[in-house]
Amino acid sequence: MPVAPTRGRLRPLGLDEVTITSGFWARRRHINTTATLGHCHDWMERVGWIGNFRAAAEGRLPKDRRGREFADSDVYKLLEAMAWERGPDAGAALDTITDAIAPVQEPDGYLNTAFGRPGQGPRYGDLEWGHELYCYGHMIQAGVAQTRARGEGALAKIARRAADHVCATFGPGGIEGVCGHPQIETALVELARATGEQRYLGQAALFVDRRGRGTLADPEFGRAYYQDDMPVREATILRGHAVRALYLAAGAVDVAVETGDDDLLAAVVRQWEATVARRTYLTGGMGSHHRDEAFGDDFVLPPDRAYSETCAGVASVMLCWRLLLATGEPRFADLAERTLFNVVAASPSEDGRSFFYANTLHRRRRGTVPPAGTDSPRAESSLRAPWFAVSCCPTNVARTLAVLPAYLATTDDHGIQLHQYTDMDIATQGVALQVRTDYPSGGRVTVGISSSPGHSWTLSLRVPAWTEGTTAWLTEPDGTRRAVAPGTAEVTRRFRPGDEIRLELPVTPRWIAPDPRVDAIRGTLAVQRGPLVHCAESVDLPTGHEVDAVRVDRSAEPVDGPQGTVVVQGELITSDQARDTPWPYRPLDGPTEPPTDGPDEPATPTTAERTGITLVPYHSWANRGPSTMRVWLPTTEPPVSPPAG
């Protein structure tokens, strides 16, 4: 399991306790295993990132080094994914790459291909942008994954030597600094959990407490960019670079849980609450700035400029999972579900060999197909690209899908808790159960008990927050059927083999309206069906139309269409031979028609074609070629005039 706290409200179940058997996530994980891991491996060989280690061992650096200063970290994320995968192919590839890395580690544990050699920058000479500690973080997490999934091996020993080096170099009496990109914190805590060595935890706590005390230089984006503007305990909201902020928050939760620091945990919960309330997209995506990959101000959530980086989605799931384990509160699983289905699942293509880096909610122009053999220099969404010059997202998706079963269920002294729904088998503490469902397409979740201890225990099922305003139903083994509200539904009894519990969730499409403080989407609507956000895509419109022609009728409820689509009623606005007007603004009490094009020319007529409009799950868009797309749809209602007075 990726997170194994020694304290907290809930205990996660590991890969040896949960098996995904079929359904949405089984298909995604199969593609990850059979296509994505090999794709990432091939590309890292092609662009030279794995070759950097061979070049280092052979004394060919810096001349032959390829990629950005943090390229080592993506090799480590791939190794983590391979470690979680149990197949022999992944194990063999892991060993081969590890054999290339091992000779590069120096006697004191230092290991990096971008710094420390003649012609390169000095060790830790650029804590703001060098990413040395960040790279260690991903290496250590890969080593922990190997230890937990396969037993301690060469990679785990390399990671532990690097962690010892970090403690010696940045511990008391050492360099009193932090990395510009948080990540080392979560890794050190997890290594402490895996080994029982508490100095790793102590070093992580030092890094968390040093953050926000001005140890890093002020960058062009401001000190909040890497969360060095104020101490973690004093912050009230997540800000700056979204991935950095979320990784730091996850590390702070880890430290808080292991040290019993309730004040630190409460600070992160407050930051999460404010961020979800004011700075999060409908998809669960985080980060509205392209230039600095950062959170914007409160309610600044433009759909067409949504950055919503895939890595931020992964980091959000990591944070939510930690908060869920610490508190037991289902709201954290709610956001994790939203983000998994609408950000993480949206990144890879159907074949698992191309990816979105950023996840826009409104694509105004049709994308261009990226060259198959060239890495993309840009992260902005157009079409999924096979690789990027900065390719942190494909490997982040790969490691998340590889370990996904460990994010689904937990246990405590009272029983078992189900947080995410897919077909899966669970066996733990004398209990064996099978979950069968067509979720998220359908809403029926059936839990069958095949083995149970002789005493009473509690089965808890999350009732998603998206069911608010509708009715969900729970049927117990004796046939009792009762309505259940969003939150947690519990069944406590002495279960017997053959018992069955059924949860019925109202998976029907619904209109979603935005908070009016989100200026960019005021007056629009979106559609959500269960946990899935839907969108209009131009390939489903009549030839010649783009999504900006769509207007939806809010008085007609969305209905299910074929193959997981949703159909809404609305209009397609068309203009014949449209011409620009001299000025695109007019007084509200002026003429309703735009001015004529000239003394003898009438204004261009605009017509509306009434039609049904097909919406597809957002995670599936752009799999059918170049298209335009939008999630938030204007309505057919005219603008509201101010009251007369």
Side-chain angles (χ1 to χ4, degrees):
M1 62 189 73
V3 184
T6 62
R7 308 169 51 147
R9 172 68 179 80
L10 303 175
R11 180 183 76 81
L13 298 183
L15 298 182
D16 58 341
E17 297 172 293
V18 181
T19 302
I20 297 177
T21 57
S22 61
F24 184 95
W25 290 117
R27 292 189 294 272
R28 293 303 182 109
R29 295 187 73 244
H30 176 74
I31 292 169
N32 190 58
T33 301
T34 60
T36 301
L37 292 183
H39 176 87
C40 292
H41 189 183
D42 291 346
W43 266 97
M44 285 192 200
E45 289 286 11
R46 181 184 304 184
V47 297
W49 299 353
I50 296 174
N52 287 338
F53 293 98
R54 301 187 189 103
E58 295 165 8
R60 294 187 281 109
L61 295 185
K63 175 177 175 291
D64 290 340
R65 192 180 187 280
R66 300 292 181 264
R68 293 286 300 272
E69 62 276 8
F70 41 75
D72 293 0
S73 70
D74 289 308
V75 178
Y76 300 143
K77 279 186 284 184
L78 176 61
L79 289 176
E80 182 184 349
M82 290 174 170
W84 292 126
E85 290 287 351
R86 300 295 181 89
D89 291 344
L94 185 152
D95 291 341
T96 299
I97 298 172
T98 301
D99 288 344
I101 293 170
V104 184
Q105 190 166 37
E106 300 185 24
D108 67 348
Y110 182 84
L111 203 171
N112 193 285
T113 67
F115 296 91
R117 296 169 187 80
Q120 293 183 324
R123 292 183 181 186
Y124 309 118
D126 187 4
L127 285 174
E128 291 79 11
W129 305 104
H131 289 75
E132 288 157 283
L133 292 172
Y134 170 80
C135 290
Y136 285 142
H138 283 300
M139 178 212 296
I140 292 167
Q141 287 193 310
V144 170
Q146 182 184 59
T147 299
R148 288 181 175 155
R150 298 172 177 270
E152 187 179 52
L155 178 61
K157 293 175 182 177
I158 291 169
R160 188 160 183 175
R161 288 180 60 202
D164 291 340
H165 165 78
V166 170
C167 291
T169 306
F170 288 86
I175 299 172
E176 294 187 3
V178 296
C179 185
H181 198 311
Q183 166 62 17
I184 186 68
E185 299 83 359
T186 56
L188 286 172
V189 175
E190 219 52 60
L191 185 61
R193 290 166 171 167
T195 64
E197 180 56 68
Q198 292 305 295
R199 63 197 177 98
Y200 301 140
L201 172 60
Q203 185 62 52
L206 268 180
F207 282 139
V208 170
D209 284 339
R210 285 175 185 167
R211 182 73 56 170
R213 302 187 186 279
T215 64
L216 298 170
D218 197 10
E220 62 174 309
F221 306 122
R223 195 174 293 283
Y225 172 79
Y226 33 51
Q227 298 76 49
D228 200 36
D229 55 329
M230 65 181 69
V232 174
R233 298 170 191 275
E234 297 177 12
T236 59
I237 198 166
L238 299 180
R239 69 259 175 250
H241 187 281
V243 180
R244 286 169 163 84
L246 289 158
Y247 279 171
L248 176 62
V253 172
D254 284 335
V255 168
V257 167
E258 292 304 313
T259 61
D261 192 335
D262 293 340
D263 290 340
L264 179 58
L265 177 61
V268 178
V269 170
R270 288 194 300 271
Q271 294 164 28
W272 182 91
E273 290 172 339
T275 303
V276 172
R278 306 177 208 156
R279 298 184 176 182
T280 302
Y281 284 97
L282 178 64
T283 55
M286 294 185 179
S288 58
H289 286 185
H290 280 245
R291 181 169 173 262
D292 52 355
E293 301 181 307
F295 290 98
D297 292 333
D298 291 351
F299 304 106
V300 177
L301 295 165
D304 55 343
R305 292 298 296 162
Y307 197 63
S308 185
E309 185 182 341
T310 298
C311 283
V314 169
S316 177
V317 172
M318 290 170 54
L319 175 59
C320 288
W321 183 241
R322 286 162 167 79
L323 290 171
L324 173 65
L325 295 177
T327 68
E329 297 176 16
R331 57 182 175 153
F332 301 116
D334 284 330
L335 183 62
E337 174 185 74
R338 180 178 295 274
T339 309
L340 282 168
F341 277 119
N342 300 296
V343 179
V344 176
S347 177
S349 60
E350 290 179 341
D351 68 359
R353 292 184 173 90
S354 58
F355 308 85
F356 277 137
Y357 188 116
N359 294 278
T360 185
L361 275 68
H362 185 178
R363 180 73 193 171
R364 294 181 181 274
R365 299 176 63 186
R366 294 177 181 243
T368 55
V369 178
T374 305
D375 56 334
S376 174
R378 295 184 59 81
E380 185 176 0
S381 296
S382 174
L383 287 178
R384 294 175 180 87
W387 204 247
F388 300 92
V390 175
S391 221
C392 49
C393 296
T395 50
N396 236 346
V397 170
R399 70 177 182 137
T400 301
L401 292 176
V403 78
L404 187 65
Y407 284 112
L408 306 180
T410 59
T411 186
D412 64 8
D413 292 340
H414 305 288
I416 296 174
Q417 303 81 38
L418 303 182
H419 304 290
Q420 307 297 340
Y421 298 120
T422 187
D423 280 6
M424 57 182 164
D425 294 341
I426 296 176
T428 184
Q429 298 180 336
V431 175
L433 54 85
Q434 299 78 42
V435 180
R436 298 295 179 260
T437 179
D438 57 353
Y439 195 81
S441 297
R444 175 170 289 196
V445 180
T446 302
V447 182
I449 309 294
S450 57
S451 179
S452 179
H455 57 78
S456 177
W457 57 277
T458 299
L459 176 66
S460 301
L461 300 96
R462 180 177 61 92
V463 181
W466 57 257
T467 63
E468 183 178 5
T470 60
T471 303
W473 297 91
L474 183 75
T475 303
E476 301 194 26
D478 62 5
T480 302
R481 186 171 185 258
R482 55 187 168 95
V484 288
T488 300
E490 297 183 346
V491 180
T492 302
R493 62 188 294 128
R494 184 176 176 178
F495 290 97
R496 301 178 185 278
D499 281 349
E500 189 173 278
I501 303 92
R502 186 169 65 250
L503 178 65
E504 298 168 76
L505 301 172
V507 178
T508 55
R510 305 172 70 185
W511 289 120
I512 303 295
D515 187 304
R517 290 172 289 184
V518 186
D519 287 338
I521 50 176
R522 188 180 295 127
T524 64
L525 293 173
V527 170
Q528 184 173 322
R529 185 182 185 276
L532 300 182
V533 173
H534 279 61
C535 64
E537 193 175 3
S538 57
V539 292
D540 296 308
L541 301 177
T543 302
H545 289 281
E546 303 295 344
V547 293
D548 285 350
V550 171
R551 302 291 184 271
V552 295
D553 182 356
R554 65 185 304 163
S555 68
E557 290 298 318
V559 298
D560 285 327
Q563 299 180 325
T565 63
V566 170
V567 177
V568 297
Q569 294 302 310
E571 299 174 346
L572 295 177
I573 306 301
T574 62
S575 298
D576 298 330
Q577 299 178 340
R579 298 179 182 139
D580 288 340
T581 58
W583 182 240
Y585 311 99
R586 63 179 178 81
L588 188 60
D589 57 356
T592 58
E593 294 294 329
T596 60
D597 295 324
D600 301 318
E601 296 181 60
T604 302
T606 300
T607 60
E609 175 189 346
R610 183 77 177 184
T611 186
I613 299 163
T614 297
L615 308 182
V616 298
Y618 173 79
H619 66 71
S620 71
W621 90 275
N623 272 301
R624 297 174 290 174
S627 65
T628 57
M629 178 277 300
R630 68 186 301 169
V631 168
W632 292 102
L633 306 169
T635 69
T636 56
E637 296 179 346
V640 177
S641 300

